[in-house]
Amino acid sequence: MPSDIPLSSPDITEAEIKAVTNVMRSGRLSIGPRQVRFEEMIAERCDRFHGVAVSSGTAGLHLVLAALGIGPGDEVITTSFSFVASANCILYVGATPVFVDIDPVNLNMDPDKLEAAITPKTKAIIAVETFGNPANMDRIAAAAQRHELPLIEDACEALGGVYKGKPVGSFGRAAVFAFYPNKQITTGEGGMIVTDDDRLADLCRSMRNQGRAIGSQTSSEGWLAHERLGYNYRMSELAAAVGIAQMERLDEMLSRRREIACQYIERLMDYADLILPTVDSDTEMSWFVFVVRLTDQYTSKERDRIITGLRRHDVGCSNYFPPIHLQPFYRERFGFKQGDLPITEAIASRTLALPFFNRLDPTQIELVTLTLQVMLQREQLLRPSTGE
Ligand SMILES: *Cc1c(COP(=O)(O)O)cnc(C)c1O
């Protein structure tokens, strides 16, 4: 058994490999039937009329904001405890990100703080379903509705999740999924916009394909008529074929991930220094990563040393997520500073993402948790004695 346990690893079987080979042999490598089929599968999974396949989750978020006409002078509300793409997409259209602090339990946008952040300039809300946890979507959607603001779900980490009986991706005006290799399903690179809004879907289809006229999306008449500013955000047939094969195994993969999360929780339950992820009883989490938090007595330096220690013992580990507002580019551009979002900062400084992928076996889980135990004990011994 190799000693190295990676943080994540894609689950690729012969089915995916065969699907790619078939596309190669078909001669149709882009804009074809697989993209359409993959769009239908994702849309169906989250009760939506339309799926629009794109080249990445980031591209999907960008297209939705652009298609909604959001631009310079507008504000878009999101959270800082996320992957940087949740906010970069706002900058792509020239708008300004406004970060709302998070709920300390489910780590998503705190609905109590959302209302206070809404101004006359607010033009949209991007609610991130962090680590695959769709908590609070009904209250966030209600606030969006009350203020007549489009709600966009950044569901890039949450495919297959369910909140109060409704699938992730079904809330708000549109939702976006991502298929990078560490996500629940992968296409190598890829993303998907889902929506019930015909006009929005049409605009996104046109804009992902160089702004070609709506209704001339395949290479025929009108192919060189560009009606609006567009991009090349298309998904290849190769990627879509992998996506179809992965979607056929989605439920199996989600239950495998749930099983691994349960095994971790069982093993870590008695570690007094850890705060384990919790899932509301009315929520089915789609496990994206397995992130534990250190209790308040740990500093972020100690957390960083634990990450280094785990890595030194061939256990993949990461600090998901350093707050977006404290990234060098955001500090410089917007003047954000430490203290702006106290809960986000306190939580982000004590997270540990542990290895999490479908083929993680019980021995590897034991290795991870025992190594973590040693690292925690090490930190305690390194602390200056309080004289008690
Ligand atoms: C992965 C991710 C994205 C971006 O997806 P890409 O396909 O990598 O562009 C956006 N938002 C969140 C929250 C993500 O985790």
Side-chain angles (χ1 to χ4, degrees):
M1 189 172 76
S3 68
D4 200 70
I5 307 172
L7 191 55
S8 81
S9 171
D11 181 352
I12 298 296
T13 64
E14 281 307 312
E16 284 80 2
I17 294 167
K18 190 155 169 251
V20 172
T21 313
N22 288 343
V23 176
M24 285 297 199
R25 291 190 204 288
S26 78
R28 183 126 193 194
L29 304 189
S30 189
I31 311 182
R34 272 124 182 142
Q35 177 203 290
V36 175
R37 178 68 196 124
F38 185 40
E39 290 176 341
E40 288 167 356
M41 287 173 99
I42 299 274
E44 194 185 321
R45 179 75 195 199
C46 44
D47 286 342
R48 290 291 204 174
F49 294 142
H50 304 284
V52 181
V54 286
S55 52
S56 70
T58 308
L61 290 167
H62 179 192
L63 280 194
V64 170
L65 292 182
L68 288 171
I70 291 162
D74 297 338
E75 292 176 355
V76 178
I77 296 176
T78 189
T79 44
S80 175
F81 187 65
S82 184
F83 182 61
V84 71
S86 302
N88 277 351
C89 61
I90 300 166
L91 306 193
Y92 297 159
V93 297
T96 306
V98 173
F99 296 113
V100 169
D101 217 342
I102 55 173
D103 176 309
V105 177
N106 65 48
L107 312 183
N108 288 319
M109 181 180 289
D110 185 341
D112 291 332
K113 294 183 178 142
L114 171 58
E115 299 263 354
I118 296 172
T119 75
K121 288 182 176 171
T122 308
K123 289 290 147 48
I125 299 166
I126 300 178
V128 185
E129 289 150 321
T130 311
F131 303 152
N133 195 347
N136 287 336
M137 275 330 254
D138 61 349
R139 288 187 60 203
I140 294 170
Q145 210 154 28
R146 216 163 26 246
H147 294 270
E148 294 180 22
L149 292 170
L151 170 65
I152 301 150
E153 271 180 273
D154 179 345
C156 289
E157 300 180 1
L159 179 65
V162 179
Y163 175 68
K164 295 191 178 171
K166 287 182 71 187
V168 161
S170 67
F171 304 93
R173 184 77 65 88
V176 178
F177 295 102
F179 312 122
Y180 184 73
N182 70 342
K183 313 279 179 178
Q184 286 87 335
I185 71 163
T186 186
T187 59
E189 295 283 358
M192 183 78 68
I193 300 162
V194 293
T195 182
D196 291 331
D197 181 330
D198 300 341
R199 171 87 188 142
L200 187 67
D202 279 346
L203 279 173
C204 289
R205 288 201 171 98
S206 166
M207 289 165 77
R208 85 170 157 192
N209 192 10
Q210 311 283 12
R212 290 189 161 95
I214 291 163
S216 75
Q217 293 302 308
T218 52
S219 46
S220 56
E221 305 141 60
W223 182 246
L224 291 180
H226 303 276
E227 294 190 339
R228 57 187 59 78
L229 178 63
Y231 308 86
N232 178 357
Y233 283 170
R234 296 183 303 260
M235 171 179 277
S236 78
E237 284 289 280
L238 295 159
V242 176
I244 293 168
Q246 293 259 293
M247 274 307 279
E248 277 163 358
R249 298 167 49 227
L250 178 65
D251 286 311
E252 173 198 321
M253 294 200 284
L254 291 178
S255 68
R256 178 73 196 122
R257 296 173 88 85
R258 198 173 309 125
E259 207 175 295
I260 295 167
C262 287
Q263 287 175 19
Y264 261 130
I265 288 169
E266 250 166 61
R267 286 202 159 273
L268 296 173
M269 216 154 39
D270 300 326
Y271 286 39
D273 292 357
L274 295 184
I275 301 164
L276 301 184
T278 50
V279 183
D280 286 352
S281 56
D282 49 11
T283 297
E284 271 173 55
M285 175 136 168
S286 169
W287 289 90
F288 166 51
V289 284
F290 192 82
V291 176
V292 299
R293 287 150 54 198
L294 298 165
T295 48
D296 285 353
Q297 74 250 30
Y298 284 83
T299 64
S300 96
K301 247 201 194 95
E302 288 172 326
R303 187 278 307 267
D304 293 346
R305 204 156 49 205
I306 292 170
I307 292 178
T308 313
L310 284 163
R311 287 180 182 160
R312 208 174 281 144
H313 289 83
D314 300 328
V315 173
C317 188
S318 189
N319 57 335
Y320 291 165
F321 286 107
I324 298 172
H325 74 285
L326 297 180
Q327 296 288 348
F329 176 72
Y330 279 79
R331 280 178 188 258
E332 198 173 308
R333 174 89 163 260
F334 298 100
F336 292 123
K337 57 190 185 317
Q338 194 82 33
D340 286 345
L341 297 164
I343 296 171
T344 295
E345 292 163 20
I347 284 167
S349 63
R350 295 186 186 89
T351 55
L352 295 168
L354 301 178
F356 193 71
F357 50 91
N358 299 357
R359 289 202 187 91
L360 198 62
D361 66 39
T363 310
Q364 291 175 310
I365 293 176
E366 191 170 0
L367 273 167
V368 172
T369 54
L370 288 179
T371 313
L372 176 57
Q373 188 174 33
V374 172
M375 294 306 142
L376 293 170
Q377 284 168 350
R378 240 181 125 251
E379 287 311 316
Q380 280 155 23
L381 291 173
L382 285 170
R383 277 200 193 131
S385 161
T386 53
E388 285 168 358

